[in-house]
Amino acid sequence: MKKVTLIKPVPLTAHAFAAFGNVIEVSSQGESKSINHGNTIRYHDLAALDLMAKGGKPSVNIFRSSPLSRPVMIHQMERHPLSSQLFFPLGNKPYLVVVAPKGDFNFKDIQAFLATAHQGVNYHPGVWHHYSLALDGVSDFLVIDRLGPDENCQEVSLRDDELVCVGY
Amino acid sequence: MKKVTLIKPVPLTAHAFAAFGNVIEVSSQGESKSINHGNTIRYHDLAALDLMAKGGKPSVNIFRSSPLSRPVMIHQMERHPLSSQLFFPLGNKPYLVVVAPKGDFNFKDIQAFLATAHQGVNYHPGVWHHYSLALDGVSDFLVIDRLGPDENCQEVSLRDDELVCVGY
């Protein structure tokens, strides 16, 4: 018999997400300054990029993701042990973020966040996460990750009695 | 007497912009592949990032820019000799890109491009450019540039008889 654990996404905040990575957003919390003769506010250095281990270098990509059917069933998670990975949504669509802590994977530790169209996420190295989860039709994300010579993606599959369903 | 040169922006294309930098966009021209079990297309490595010279490291920022009054008058340009600088618009607003070639600055070489909401630009090191030019209200841009110990922004001011007006 399949057993399914139902979880509900909570709003994405920097505080709630701190163990998993950075939330990239306009906020009064971080460093900001007026530049360009007063025409621009620079919200400064919003992500702990970690992309250069073992001969890596930063790369910029666009991911065009199709939504999964709902409710969203979590079958796999992945991690990048050597590097951070940043997603910022392009356009005006919210999306789901599903993560589990660094270290040994346990499906019971999975958490889900609902991100607005104005929030990006930067996963710290080694943090388990689901691949990009568009919600409202095909969605583009700007992705900053590592190009390098080493294999840097590990996947784990949830067993049939471990499945997690994100109730959204 | 003030003399003003009027230029018209042309649509931003990778070909027309090649001397100045990269256009970051979904395109059939570059490398792409299906990932995430078929749910995502990855448009791969879209920008020649150059951020690590002289102890530099990549940083991610949000620039919140107010539009200038129209027609847009070009009074200054800037360049970053040590690094590339990437802008991607957040939301659904077009914007202006105003550039001049690397090397000695000449106002007669200024070119203007009209970028869609789905196009980013990555200026090559040393390329003269105007700061971010929102058109349609206050606009946010995700910016990838260099953090480093050295001064890396040079400005040039156009003389009164050199002013350029972007007719848009």
Side-chain angles (χ1 to χ4, degrees):
Chain A
M1 192 179 97
K2 283 194 182 183
K3 212 176 92 182
V4 174
T5 303
L6 180 70
I7 61 173
K8 297 281 273 185
V10 299
L12 180 67
T13 65
H15 181 76
F17 197 67
F20 306 110
N22 312 109
V23 177
I24 296 98
E25 63 187 336
V26 167
S27 151
S28 59
Q29 301 300 305
E31 181 185 345
S32 65
K33 58 181 169 183
S34 177
I35 60 170
N36 297 342
H37 306 275
N39 291 292
T40 296
I41 305 168
R42 178 183 175 115
Y43 296 89
H44 185 68
D45 198 19
L46 301 173
L49 299 179
D50 189 345
L51 302 167
M52 270 105 86
K54 293 192 176 181
K57 60 172 198 153
S59 74
V60 171
N61 315 273
I62 294 175
F63 282 16
R64 175 161 283 182
S65 293
S66 300
L68 303 183
S69 56
R70 294 191 197 178
V72 175
M73 295 293 292
I74 305 301
H75 293 277
Q76 297 98 18
M77 299 279 280
E78 65 184 52
R79 67 176 174 183
H80 311 296
L82 293 178
S83 61
S84 58
Q85 190 179 34
L86 184 149
F87 290 78
F88 206 102
L90 304 176
N92 283 320
K93 296 172 183 168
Y95 62 105
L96 272 183
V97 174
V98 175
V99 288
K102 278 186 272 202
D104 292 339
F105 175 77
N106 187 329
F107 77 98
K108 294 178 183 171
D109 296 330
I110 288 178
Q111 294 186 46
F113 297 91
L114 182 60
T116 74
H118 309 292
Q119 293 178 309
V121 291
N122 182 52
Y123 302 117
H124 291 324
V127 166
W128 293 103
H129 57 277
H130 198 276
Y131 60 74
S132 49
L133 288 168
L135 285 174
D136 186 16
V138 175
S139 302
D140 289 347
F141 297 85
L142 199 72
V143 177
I144 305 172
D145 61 7
R146 172 185 177 274
L147 281 186
D150 305 280
E151 184 52 49
N152 186 28
C153 187
Q154 299 171 343
E155 271 197 355
V156 63
S157 293
L158 282 71
R159 295 199 317 258
D160 270 359
D161 60 347
E162 294 179 340
L163 295 184
V164 171
C165 171
V166 182
Y168 174 76
Chain B
M1 193 179 98
K2 283 194 182 183
K3 212 175 92 184
V4 174
T5 303
L6 180 70
I7 61 174
K8 297 281 273 185
V10 299
L12 181 67
T13 65
H15 181 74
F17 197 67
F20 306 109
N22 313 109
V23 177
I24 296 97
E25 63 187 335
V26 167
S27 152
S28 58
Q29 302 299 305
E31 181 185 346
S32 65
K33 58 182 170 182
S34 175
I35 60 170
N36 296 343
H37 307 275
N39 291 293
T40 296
I41 305 168
R42 179 183 175 115
Y43 297 89
H44 185 67
D45 198 19
L46 301 173
L49 300 178
D50 189 345
L51 302 168
M52 271 105 84
K54 294 193 175 180
K57 61 173 198 152
S59 74
V60 171
N61 315 273
I62 294 176
F63 282 16
R64 174 160 286 182
S65 293
S66 300
L68 303 184
S69 56
R70 294 192 198 176
V72 175
M73 295 292 293
I74 305 300
H75 293 278
Q76 296 99 17
M77 298 279 279
E78 64 184 52
R79 67 176 174 182
H80 311 296
L82 293 178
S83 60
S84 58
Q85 189 180 35
L86 184 149
F87 291 78
F88 206 101
L90 305 176
N92 284 319
K93 296 173 182 167
Y95 62 105
L96 273 183
V97 175
V98 174
V99 289
K102 276 186 273 201
D104 293 338
F105 175 77
N106 187 328
F107 76 98
K108 294 178 182 170
D109 297 330
I110 289 177
Q111 294 186 45
F113 297 90
L114 183 59
T116 74
H118 309 292
Q119 293 179 309
V121 291
N122 182 52
Y123 302 117
H124 291 324
V127 166
W128 293 104
H129 57 278
H130 198 277
Y131 59 74
S132 50
L133 288 168
L135 286 174
D136 187 16
V138 175
S139 302
D140 289 347
F141 297 85
L142 199 73
V143 176
I144 305 173
D145 62 7
R146 172 185 177 274
L147 280 185
D150 305 281
E151 185 50 49
N152 186 29
C153 187
Q154 299 170 344
E155 271 197 356
V156 63
S157 292
L158 281 71
R159 293 199 316 257
D160 272 359
D161 60 348
E162 294 179 339
L163 296 183
V164 172
C165 171
V166 182
Y168 173 77

